[in-house]
Amino acid sequence: MVATLRDVPVLPDYIDGQTDHDYMHAAWANGPLARDRMGLIRTFPMSLMTEVMDDRWTRQIELESMMVAGVTDGPVYDIIDNVLLFSNGQVHRNRRAPLAKTFAHRIIGELRPGVAARCERMVAALLGQGPVDFVERIASPLPAHVIASVIGAPEDEVEVVARHVYSAIRGLSLVKDDIRAEADRDMGALADYVATLIDRRRADAQDDFLTGFLERVSGGPMDEAEIRTQIMALVLAGSDTTRGALTATVSQLLQNPDQWALLVEDPETHVPGAVSEGLRYDPVIGSLARITTERHEVAGYDLPAGTFIGNCMLTSLRDPEIYADPHRFDITRTDHPRLHPVFGGGPHRCLGEVLARLELEEALKALVRLAPGMVLDGPPAKLRGYGATRVLSPMIVRM
Ligand code: HEM
């Protein structure tokens, strides 16, 4: 007999001192699925990630996350309502196609020399300066500057954009009312700013990404709010994720001096592997959630339509079926799947992977070249939580 939703094991109690990885692996030991107190089903092995991302029987969550938070209007609500990430079917295709076509590999590849130079300048300015707040001085500004330059924001306006982005993005998670109010205020400011950039480009076309995007969407199915929101999506999706991934990767490298030494010795060979391994070992994305659109059997359980289901990246990215010695941080491993799972799968797979990798690679190259003796000056940074984008703790280093 096929088991039902009620038979799915409940998540075990958290034991004091367990890391997020320990906890989720303990849950996996009870079976391939677990149910949390809210009724969300979590899946653990990599094989089930593909299953959860399959849009023949699941769909992306739309405004349901706002309903759970009791939010029915405001700037954050408007983003969720209009953005490609939280839409499905034809609406998603209408929003994704112009962005994907304009945000092509060629445009991103051309950014490499500029990103490399920016990384070198950032690192050089911090050498011999005593304790350095890695997140504030490198990991936060880098993605904000890079994506701001892609959308054509002038250098002197980037600081303000970055401040709004990192505040506004908090509104996409379940947060307390005061944080939600700040996030709403800053999301509104970001929306106004992007609208201004769009107006400037319409009045004065250039040979750049934003002009190309606006030409492509002109006369298409998207209204003005949707057009503006897809540009905001790039800024929002590309900042917090890359900041967390860079800090977590450097944190692991500094905790594993043999791996750092390998990278210093031969960056050309090891930088791409270090990036892939950093993204795998302590992933910035904790889970990928969907809603089932029809009754479906998963690992022997019969799940009804309307079930909230999320694949746990902390376990899938350490699945021993895929990765040898999965709990070991090893920048030389050769068993990463061709498409790195941390960037998702199915119709919503990340549009920014090439840019994210480029930023991570150039940042690591600048660090090992200019600051080969870099050390931690306090606890290493950690990513915490099991939700969509995990929360980053600070990290102080000496360079
Ligand atoms: C290490 C950095 C990054 C990671 C780990 C990451 C991961 C992801 C994941 C897992 C998704 C799919 C979410 C889902 O299916 O629910 C996604 C979507 C997306 N990402 Fe990224 N991302 C990163 C950086 C970036 C950057 C730099 C950009 C662009 C500047 C970007 C733009 C997007 C966009 C636009 C989507 C929505 C795609 C869609 O819904 O069709 N990401 N990302």
Side-chain angles (χ1 to χ4, degrees):
M1 211 180 74
V2 178
T4 69
L5 192 60
R6 270 203 308 273
D7 302 313
V8 175
V10 173
L11 275 179
D13 287 337
Y14 172 77
I15 300 170
D16 255 1
Q18 272 182 323
T19 64
D20 295 340
H21 284 92
D22 293 342
Y23 179 56
M24 282 297 159
H25 278 83
W28 188 7
N30 296 335
L33 309 186
R35 190 158 48 97
D36 72 12
R37 268 177 298 166
M38 310 270 286
L40 174 89
I41 298 296
R42 292 181 191 273
T43 63
F44 300 117
M46 181 75 87
S47 56
L48 294 187
M49 173 181 158
T50 322
E51 186 94 358
V52 172
M53 294 295 109
D54 185 340
D55 66 343
R56 287 172 302 179
W57 70 279
T58 68
R59 68 164 172 85
Q60 177 63 283
I61 293 171
E62 297 180 358
L63 284 164
E64 289 86 354
S65 61
M66 291 285 97
M67 281 155 61
V68 170
V71 179
T72 51
D73 57 12
V76 171
Y77 181 96
D78 291 344
I79 290 294
I80 308 262
D81 199 15
N82 285 299
V83 74
L84 76 162
L85 181 58
F86 299 114
S87 57
N88 289 289
Q90 191 56 47
V91 173
H92 173 246
R93 287 191 285 279
N94 291 344
R95 293 173 179 173
R96 181 170 168 116
L99 209 52
K101 285 183 186 136
T102 328
F103 207 58
H105 283 207
R106 183 185 57 79
I107 291 209
I108 303 306
E110 287 170 1
L111 295 174
R112 191 179 285 275
V115 174
R118 182 179 297 280
C119 291
E120 299 236 330
R121 277 199 308 277
M122 282 176 129
V123 175
L126 299 171
L127 296 176
Q129 297 287 306
V132 168
D133 183 332
F134 185 86
V135 179
E136 282 302 310
R137 303 298 299 275
I138 296 186
S140 295
L142 177 64
H145 274 88
V146 171
I147 197 65
S149 75
V150 171
I151 65 166
E155 264 303 291
D156 59 346
E157 292 171 11
V158 174
E159 294 297 323
V160 185
V161 180
R163 219 172 319 124
H164 289 151
V165 169
Y166 288 118
S167 168
I169 208 154
R170 298 174 301 168
L172 304 183
S173 310
L174 281 176
V175 283
K176 293 196 187 119
D177 285 350
D178 53 336
I179 306 270
R180 180 164 297 286
E182 284 174 22
D184 248 333
R185 182 197 62 205
D186 292 329
M187 192 68 90
L190 187 64
D192 290 345
Y193 180 74
V194 170
T196 309
L197 277 185
I198 290 175
D199 287 346
R200 282 187 205 155
R201 275 302 175 281
R202 283 196 175 126
D204 179 19
Q206 314 255 328
D207 180 18
D208 67 359
F209 164 80
L210 189 53
T211 306
F213 175 77
L214 292 173
E215 276 168 8
R216 226 177 256 281
V217 296
S218 167
M222 283 198 281
D223 65 22
E224 201 56 28
E226 282 176 289
I227 291 171
R228 184 178 65 236
T229 304
Q230 306 330 307
I231 297 299
M232 291 172 71
L234 286 184
V235 183
L236 291 164
S239 303
D240 220 16
T241 45
T242 313
R243 155 170 92 164
L246 176 58
T247 311
T249 302
V250 171
S251 172
Q252 286 308 325
L253 286 164
L254 296 182
Q255 290 174 75
N256 291 275
D258 59 320
Q259 303 283 300
W260 177 253
L262 263 183
L263 201 60
V264 170
E265 201 177 289
D266 187 357
E268 280 312 308
T269 304
H270 294 302
V271 158
V275 167
S276 293
E277 184 65 345
L279 289 165
R280 179 195 78 87
Y281 189 81
D282 202 11
V284 66
I285 302 291
S287 66
L288 293 170
R290 295 293 188 262
I291 298 178
T292 61
T293 49
E294 60 182 50
R295 202 170 149 183
H296 192 78
E297 193 185 315
V298 180
Y301 294 93
D302 185 22
L303 303 183
T307 304
F308 280 72
I309 188 164
N311 185 67
C312 176
M313 301 304 282
L314 276 65
T315 51
S316 293
L317 288 165
R318 294 196 188 185
D319 185 336
E321 291 283 317
I322 310 289
Y323 304 100
D325 202 357
H327 299 290
R328 197 156 74 91
F329 179 78
D330 178 2
I331 66 171
T332 67
R333 71 167 61 245
T334 53
D335 48 14
H336 292 285
R338 192 179 59 81
L339 294 178
H340 200 306
V342 80
F343 293 102
H348 290 276
R349 190 175 158 82
C350 182
L351 273 181
E353 173 176 355
V354 178
L355 179 59
R357 281 186 182 275
L358 189 155
E359 290 179 49
L360 296 168
E361 286 173 11
E362 294 307 325
L364 290 186
K365 282 186 203 162
L367 287 167
V368 294
R369 195 173 79 73
L370 298 173
M374 181 167 67
V375 287
L376 287 167
D377 190 24
K382 285 196 171 62
L383 288 163
R384 294 212 187 89
Y386 330 107
T389 306
R390 300 174 69 214
V391 179
L392 180 65
S393 66
M395 182 167 79
I396 309 297
V397 297
R398 282 178 187 269
M399 304 168 96

